[in-house]
């Protein structure tokens, strides 16, 4: 089934007939560069370096040509060139490379003869620093983006529906694969489905809020070990009128979000995953994965992370609700 959000959190959406000019992406060039793939980013940086070296190499060659410093002009012995030892386009390119990356071999250098050469040297040095700063900043920002931290947060392959605390709940397991915590974590969900309004309007990807909680609350989670989050299926839940026999016939997508702050970098991070009806197992619960060793340490067995166990579960939330009402009336 086609889904809006893939299991690894990528959004499956395509924009068509966008009237906005692509020039707006160049205005925010920093974000555009950060969003590029590594191969395109490195191609741009390599092209920027090679292009600037070659462009300034041409300018240095033009300066030497105008000042008649090249060997074909047969300069006199007392002739002082603008740049020492530029004999052609190749040597001009090498001098441009040495200037911009501040190698300074000492074989070629600018003299006091030409103010134009001194101005060109200053301008190329400043431009080289700008290009280097932009490249280093973009690569560092790309490496430290919170998207990479999100890859070490994993959700269970399936969601399960079973009783928890005497209530019918939809349960999902989530784990942090690093020992460093996510600070201020918050978990919530969106149920995406196609609805028809009383006015006859069809809304595709209509969003319904799904509240997830853990036993300690859904704010500021102590996310050091895998957690089982659950959504209580009550009268206000969109799952209330679903049953074990009909859930596979439903057309919905449950998107689960985990927001938090990375402890090491203080950058915000969001992890996403989704579940379609085929991935929601009715009448199951998750197998335990946390145990205590003889040495007194707590061990998490990720082999059972997505493993489920069949349990006795009412075939619909409405039946469980009626059963509780009947027992209350009997009392």
């Amino acid at each position: 089934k086609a889904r809006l959000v893939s299991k690894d959190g990528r959004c499956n959406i395509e924009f068509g007939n966008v009237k906005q000019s692509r020039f707006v992406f160049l205005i925010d060039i920093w974000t555009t560069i950060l969003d590029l793939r590594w191969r395109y980013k490195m191609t741009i940086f390599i092209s920027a370096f090679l292009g600037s070296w070659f462009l300034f190499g041409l300018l240095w060659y033009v300066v030497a040509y105008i000042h008649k410093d090249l060997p074909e002009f047969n300069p006199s012995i007392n002739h002082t060139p603008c740049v020492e030892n530029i004999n052609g386009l190749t040597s001009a390119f090498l001098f441009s490379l040495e200037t911009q990356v501040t190698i300074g071999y000492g074989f070629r250098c600018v003299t006091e003869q030409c103010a134009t050469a001194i101005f060109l040297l200053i301008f190329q040095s400043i431009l080289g620093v700008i290009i280097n700063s932009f490249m280093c900043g973009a690569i560092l920002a790309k490496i430290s983006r919170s998207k990479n931290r999100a890859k070490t947060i994993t959700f269970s392959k399936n969601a399960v529906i079973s009783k928890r605390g005497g209530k019918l709940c939809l349960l999902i397991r989530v784990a942090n694969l690093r020992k460093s915590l996510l600070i201020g974590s918050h978990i919530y969900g969106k149920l995406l489905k196609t609805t028809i309004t009383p006015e006859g309007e069809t809304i595709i990807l209509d969003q319904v809020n799904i509240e997830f909680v853990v036993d300690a609350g859904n704010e500021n989670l102590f996310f050091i070990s895998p957690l089982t989050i659950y959504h209580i299926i009550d009268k206000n839940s969109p799952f209330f009128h679903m049953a074990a026999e009909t859930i596979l016939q439903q057309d919905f997508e449950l998107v689960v979000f985990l927001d938090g702050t990375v402890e090491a970098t203080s950058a915000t991070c969001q992890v996403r995953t989704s579940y379609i009806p085929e991935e929601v197992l009715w009448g199951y619960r998750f197998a335990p994965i946390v145990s205590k060793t003889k040495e007194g340490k707590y061990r998490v067995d990720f082999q059972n992370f997505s493993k489920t166990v069949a349990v006795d579960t009412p075939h619909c939330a409405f039946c469980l609700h009626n059963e509780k009402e009947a027992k209350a009336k009997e009392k």
Side-chain angles (χ1 to χ4, degrees):
K1 267 189 177 181
R3 61 174 86 212
L4 178 66
V5 179
S6 63
K7 297 296 287 185
D8 58 357
R10 297 183 181 182
C11 295
N12 178 28
I13 191 168
E14 179 180 330
F15 297 102
N17 299 322
V18 179
K19 302 299 182 181
Q20 191 72 33
S21 174
R22 294 187 179 273
F23 181 72
V24 296
F25 295 99
L26 295 179
I27 296 177
D28 188 14
I29 186 64
W30 178 254
T31 305
T32 302
I33 292 294
L34 290 184
D35 288 339
L36 288 176
R37 296 181 180 271
W38 276 107
R39 54 179 177 268
Y40 301 128
K41 187 191 300 289
M42 298 310 299
T43 300
I44 291 175
F45 285 140
I46 292 173
S47 301
F49 277 119
L50 293 178
S52 61
W53 295 340
F54 185 73
L55 175 62
F56 280 99
L58 289 177
L59 295 177
W60 287 115
Y61 179 80
V62 170
V63 169
Y65 184 87
I66 294 176
H67 198 252
K68 296 183 179 181
D69 298 334
L70 300 177
E72 55 262 29
F73 292 105
N74 297 317
S76 62
I77 298 176
N78 298 326
H79 177 77
T80 303
C82 291
V83 181
E84 296 281 358
N85 298 306
I86 286 188
N87 303 318
L89 186 59
T90 303
S91 57
F93 175 80
L94 291 176
F95 179 71
S96 173
L97 171 62
E98 295 166 11
T99 300
Q100 187 163 328
V101 299
T102 64
I103 295 177
Y105 289 124
F107 180 67
R108 300 180 182 88
C109 61
V110 176
T111 64
E112 302 175 358
Q113 186 68 23
C114 299
T116 304
I118 297 175
F119 173 78
L120 187 60
L121 176 67
I122 296 173
F123 183 74
Q124 185 177 5
S125 299
I126 295 175
L127 184 64
V129 171
I130 293 174
I131 294 177
N132 286 333
S133 302
F134 191 89
M135 184 196 71
C136 294
I139 291 180
L140 181 61
K142 181 77 170 179
I143 293 175
S144 60
R145 291 187 80 177
S146 57
K147 291 175 63 177
N148 298 325
R149 178 64 175 92
K151 295 179 181 179
T152 55
I153 305 295
T154 182
F155 289 88
S156 57
K157 181 180 179 181
N158 297 297
V160 298
I161 295 179
S162 60
K163 291 177 64 176
R164 188 184 181 96
K167 301 177 182 179
L168 192 63
C169 299
L170 183 142
L171 300 97
I172 296 172
R173 180 172 276 173
V174 58
N176 179 15
L177 301 182
R178 288 186 180 272
K179 291 186 178 180
S180 59
L181 299 178
L182 281 180
I183 304 172
S185 300
H186 175 60
I187 297 177
Y188 58 97
K190 299 286 185 180
L191 187 70
L192 309 178
K193 60 179 182 177
T194 302
T195 60
I196 300 177
T197 63
E199 295 77 18
E201 179 186 3
T202 301
I203 302 178
I204 300 177
L205 297 179
D206 186 24
Q207 300 184 14
V208 180
N209 288 327
I210 302 294
E211 294 294 333
F212 282 98
V213 295
V214 295
D215 293 332
N218 61 344
E219 297 285 349
N220 300 325
L221 305 177
F222 185 48
F223 202 9
I224 193 64
S225 63
L227 297 175
T228 300
I229 62 175
Y230 59 91
H231 164 71
I232 300 174
I233 303 178
D234 53 15
K235 290 184 177 181
N236 298 322
S237 172
F239 295 95
F240 185 74
H241 297 285
M242 298 183 189
E245 298 84 2
T246 62
I247 190 170
L248 294 180
Q249 303 170 7
Q250 304 293 326
D251 184 16
F252 67 84
E253 180 179 351
L254 175 61
V255 183
V256 183
F257 302 86
L258 171 62
D259 296 339
T261 303
V262 181
E263 187 179 27
T265 62
S266 298
T268 57
C269 171
Q270 184 182 86
V271 193
R272 300 180 294 267
T273 191
S274 69
Y275 299 92
I276 56 177
E278 288 78 2
E279 296 170 341
V280 179
L281 307 179
W282 196 296
Y284 288 84
R285 63 173 174 83
F286 290 111
I289 60 174
V290 179
S291 59
K292 196 171 184 180
T293 62
K294 296 180 180 179
E295 294 79 12
K297 293 184 178 181
Y298 292 94
R299 183 176 184 272
V300 180
D301 186 7
F302 279 94
Q303 185 176 1
N304 297 331
F305 179 72
S306 294
K307 185 178 180 180
T308 56
V309 180
V311 292
D312 186 20
T313 305
H315 76 283
C316 68
F318 190 70
C319 297
L320 180 62
H321 179 72
N322 290 340
E323 181 182 344
K324 288 184 177 180
E325 285 188 349
K327 290 182 178 180
K329 289 181 180 179
E330 289 180 1
K331 289 183 180 180

